[in-house]
């Protein structure tokens, strides 16, 4: 006879069986998923290991190439700037290593380095444009005329250019010694630029900068540097704007200069000055400027070639 107790036991048995089945099924599925995930993890790890090895190999090759370029660079530029004088100007984001390497190679080329000017962050700060305009007007030496443009880069270049470069027609300084010293002292006091002791005006200028600028007003600061270098170029026999990797981007000074015909038609640029090849290009571009020619060199798509004489080369 089927009793209530039998029904209860039967129902309990059914639920127990279901529970056991769920547990067993879940364990089976989980084990399968774990096996699959473990296999994919091992495969991905193998890919990561391979990519890491390839990256290490490419870096080693790049380092070896740069060491080779740096070793042969003095021979490549030997005599390029013999009898020429050069002033080195560097932006606030230029590293000491970059400045030292460029200085050495300029000396290897035979150039007479007349001094160095280091630009301060205040010079390209859009918030200090009005202050800069007043300082430039106050410090302008007698006989020097400012450009008509009122942007900070052109204004600063309109003052620093005549202070650091000789007149391209006469070869004579554009400011008296005492006026030059007073103006450079005023720029240093305002945080705009500092000059090395005993700086003399030169024929040519190499303007060093970093890569792609970041942060607030990055595009404005890059534009200010590009226009500054352009005005420096107009103040003497010529100038080269040399930046590091990323400088040819839209937020890099080199990139800004290259897309503006008013700048790119006369100013020379280099976009890989952190490398031996880039520094060679900068020296050779300075020689081109002395010969009243210009060009754009490096590895970016906007470059005309790796170095002067290789325009159109891939």
């Amino acid at each position: 006879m089927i009793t209530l107790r039998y029904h209860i036991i039967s129902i309990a048995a059914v639920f127990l069986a279901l529970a056991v089945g769920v547990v067993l099924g879940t364990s089976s599925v989980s084990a399968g998923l774990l096996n699959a995930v473990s296999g994919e993890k091992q495969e991905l790890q193998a890919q990561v290991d391979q990519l890491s090895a390839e990256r290490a190999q490419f870096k080693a090759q790049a380092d070896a190439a740069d060491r080779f370029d740096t070793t042969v660079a003095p021979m490549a530029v030997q005599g390029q700037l013999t009898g020429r004088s050069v002033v080195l100007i560097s932006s606030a984001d230029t590293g000491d290593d970059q400045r030292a390497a460029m200085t050495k190679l300029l000396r290897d080329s035979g150039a007479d380095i007349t001094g160095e000017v280091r630009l301060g962050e205040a010079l390209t700060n859009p918030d200090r444009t009005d202050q800069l305009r007043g300082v430039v007007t106050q410090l302008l030496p007698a006989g020097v005329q400012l450009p008509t443009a009122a942007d900070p880069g052109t204004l600063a270049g309109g003052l620093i250019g005549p202070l650091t470069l000789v007149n391209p027609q006469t070869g004579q300084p554009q400011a008296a010694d005492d006026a030059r010293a007073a103006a450079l002292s005023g720029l240093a006091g305002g945080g705009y630029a500092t000059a090395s002791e005993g700086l003399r005006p030169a024929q040519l200028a190499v303007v060093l900068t970093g890569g792609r600028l970041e942060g607030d007003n990055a595009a404005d600061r890059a534009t200010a540097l590009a226009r500054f270098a352009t005005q420096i170029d107009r103040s003497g026999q010529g100038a080269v704007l040399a930046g590091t990797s990323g400088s040819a981007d839209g937020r890099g000074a080199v990139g800004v200069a290259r897309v503006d015909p008013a700048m790119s038609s006369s100013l020379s640029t280099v976009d890989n000055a952190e490398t031996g090849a880039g520094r060679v290009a900068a020296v050779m571009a300075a020689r081109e400027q002395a010969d009243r020619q210009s060009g754009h060199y490096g590895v970016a798509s906007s470059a005309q070639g790796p170095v002067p004489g290789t325009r159109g080369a891939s």
Side-chain angles (χ1 to χ4, degrees):
M1 180 177 180
I2 299 175
T3 63
L4 179 59
R5 181 183 179 186
Y6 176 82
H7 281 293
I8 293 174
I9 294 174
S10 298
I11 293 172
V14 169
F15 279 110
L16 180 60
L18 287 173
V20 172
V22 169
V23 171
L24 291 176
T26 302
S27 300
S28 177
V29 171
S30 298
L33 286 174
L34 287 174
N35 290 334
V37 169
S38 178
E40 291 182 0
K41 178 182 178 182
Q42 292 177 354
E43 182 178 349
L44 290 173
Q45 185 61 53
Q47 294 178 7
V48 168
D49 292 342
Q50 181 180 355
L51 291 174
S52 297
E54 292 177 355
R55 179 179 179 276
Q57 181 180 2
F58 290 147
K59 185 179 185 304
Q61 292 174 348
D63 290 344
D66 189 48
R67 286 195 299 271
F68 175 81
D69 291 341
T70 301
T71 300
V72 303
M75 293 179 284
V77 302
Q78 188 174 12
Q80 286 288 322
L81 292 174
T82 298
R84 310 283 184 176
S85 55
V86 179
V87 62
L88 188 67
I89 303 175
S90 56
S91 64
D93 62 337
T94 304
D96 291 341
D97 290 347
Q98 183 185 353
R99 292 170 42 249
M102 192 73 251
T103 298
K104 180 181 182 303
L105 197 62
L106 284 169
R107 288 202 174 100
D108 290 335
S109 73
D112 171 21
I113 301 178
T114 62
E116 181 179 356
V117 175
R118 301 187 68 175
L119 306 180
E121 293 183 356
L123 188 139
T124 59
N125 185 346
D127 295 334
R128 298 189 62 178
T129 299
D130 291 339
Q131 183 180 353
L132 175 64
R133 185 179 294 110
V135 169
V136 168
T137 303
Q138 180 182 0
L139 298 176
L140 193 68
V144 176
Q145 292 186 340
L146 284 177
T148 56
D151 63 273
T154 302
L155 281 173
L159 174 60
I160 294 177
L163 296 177
T164 58
L165 295 167
V166 297
N167 186 301
Q169 280 75 44
T170 66
Q172 297 301 311
Q174 301 183 60
D177 291 346
D178 56 348
R180 178 170 57 254
L184 291 172
S185 177
L187 288 171
Y192 297 106
T194 56
S196 59
E197 186 176 356
L199 180 142
R200 297 176 286 112
Q203 297 168 313
L204 302 163
V206 173
V207 182
L208 295 179
T209 186
R212 182 180 188 271
L213 296 181
E214 304 291 346
D216 295 338
N217 302 315
D220 292 336
R221 289 184 285 121
T223 299
L225 283 172
R227 290 178 176 171
F228 170 84
T230 301
Q231 190 59 41
I232 294 293
D233 175 68
R234 293 168 179 165
S235 299
Q237 287 190 8
V240 179
L241 175 61
T244 59
S245 177
S247 62
D249 292 351
R251 290 191 174 187
V254 170
V256 173
R258 286 179 177 178
V259 299
D260 188 336
M263 303 186 201
S264 62
S265 60
S266 60
L267 176 69
S268 292
T269 63
V270 175
D271 60 48
N272 60 335
E274 78 279 14
T275 67
R279 290 188 288 273
V280 169
V283 171
M284 297 178 71
R287 174 55 190 261
E288 269 196 334
Q289 285 285 326
D291 295 335
R292 302 297 193 274
Q293 299 179 30
S294 63
H296 306 284
Y297 309 106
V299 295
S301 59
S302 55
Q304 296 172 317
V307 295
T310 58
R311 298 189 186 190
S314 57

